[in-house]
């Protein structure tokens, strides 16, 4: 499995503590002068140019899922023949199959965008997605223990910040 960022309990981004503001936001806010000193990223979203991306982000933070062969998969990544191949390789390891199939590397998610200006913000985005996935999936599948894992992409062999999940039946 991956080296996890904190995605549970106290210390979670935004949970009972300060949260670092993204560099792109600080640069944007500084262009508005002293009156903007207290603005937060939600103020950044209050622009015509941000509405469409914010609405579309709902699919990232609250993804559609598919239950298949007793496992849960992201609908956008689900391909039954591919999942069947993984189950042939690891017939007794559905959690492993889920974790592999459900992995979203943010570099692949933003393949058509220049991520360089946001490099310092992407690990936090992965952590935020992980928090949302855990909440959504826990509510959606109360019969399952949901495990969400995020990485910041700094580990050896990692391909940037990523997030994945797997489930197990509750005992």
């Amino acid at each position: 499995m991956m080296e996890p960022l904190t995605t549970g309990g106290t210390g979670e981004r935004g949970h009972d503590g300060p949260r670092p503001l993204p560099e792109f936001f600080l640069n944007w806010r500084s262009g508005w002068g002293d009156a903007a000193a207290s603005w937060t990223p939600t103020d950044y979203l209050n622009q015509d140019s941000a509405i469409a991306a914010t609405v579309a982000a709902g699919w990232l933070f609250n993804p559609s899922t598919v239950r298949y062969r007793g496992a849960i998969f992201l609908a956008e990544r689900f391909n039954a023949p591919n999942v069947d191949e993984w189950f042939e390789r690891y017939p007794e390891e559905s959690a492993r199959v889920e974790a592999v199939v459900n992995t979203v590397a943010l570099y692949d998610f933003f393949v058509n965008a220049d991520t360089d200006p946001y490099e310092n913000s992407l690990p936090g985005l992965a952590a935020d997605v992980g928090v949302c996935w855990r909440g959504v999936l826990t509510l959606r599948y109360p019969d399952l223990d949901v495990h969400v894992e995020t990485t910041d992409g700094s580990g050896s062999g990692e391909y940037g910040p990523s997030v994945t999940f797997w489930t197990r039946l509750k005992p």
Side-chain angles (χ1 to χ4, degrees):
M1 297 293 166
M2 302 175 190
E3 289 297 317
L5 289 172
T6 302
T7 58
T10 337
E12 195 169 84
R13 282 173 53 94
H15 180 86
D16 290 344
R19 178 178 187 166
L21 293 171
E23 186 176 331
F24 77 89
F25 168 75
L26 293 171
N27 291 336
W28 172 82
R29 183 174 74 179
S30 69
W32 289 91
D34 292 341
S38 64
W39 289 3
T40 69
T42 55
D43 293 299
Y44 180 84
L45 296 176
N46 187 17
Q47 310 176 66
D48 285 335
S49 62
I51 296 172
T54 304
V55 170
W59 274 256
L60 174 61
F61 291 101
N62 181 14
S64 297
T65 52
V66 174
R67 197 170 204 156
Y68 180 73
R69 293 182 68 162
I72 307 300
F73 298 98
L74 295 170
E76 285 190 18
R77 302 181 63 80
F78 179 73
N79 174 292
N82 180 47
V83 169
D84 290 338
E85 283 182 33
W86 280 105
F87 272 114
E88 285 176 28
R89 284 188 204 169
Y90 306 103
E92 303 301 319
E93 299 179 60
S94 65
R96 182 176 188 175
V97 173
E98 283 176 313
V100 169
V101 173
N102 291 323
T103 296
V104 173
L106 293 184
Y107 290 158
D108 290 338
F109 188 81
F110 296 114
V111 73
N112 293 319
D114 177 12
T115 58
D116 287 347
Y118 308 98
E119 281 303 309
N120 294 333
S121 298
L122 291 178
L125 176 61
D128 290 340
V129 170
V131 169
C132 290
W133 283 8
R134 186 178 342 92
V136 166
L137 296 169
T138 298
L139 288 172
R140 196 176 290 168
Y141 301 102
D143 58 320
L144 300 175
D145 280 328
V146 175
H147 302 271
V148 175
E149 195 169 75
T150 62
T151 64
D152 64 7
S154 65
S156 173
E158 289 181 6
Y159 177 57
S162 62
V163 60
T164 191
F165 71 88
W166 66 94
T167 62
R168 297 193 196 279
L169 282 174
K170 286 186 176 178

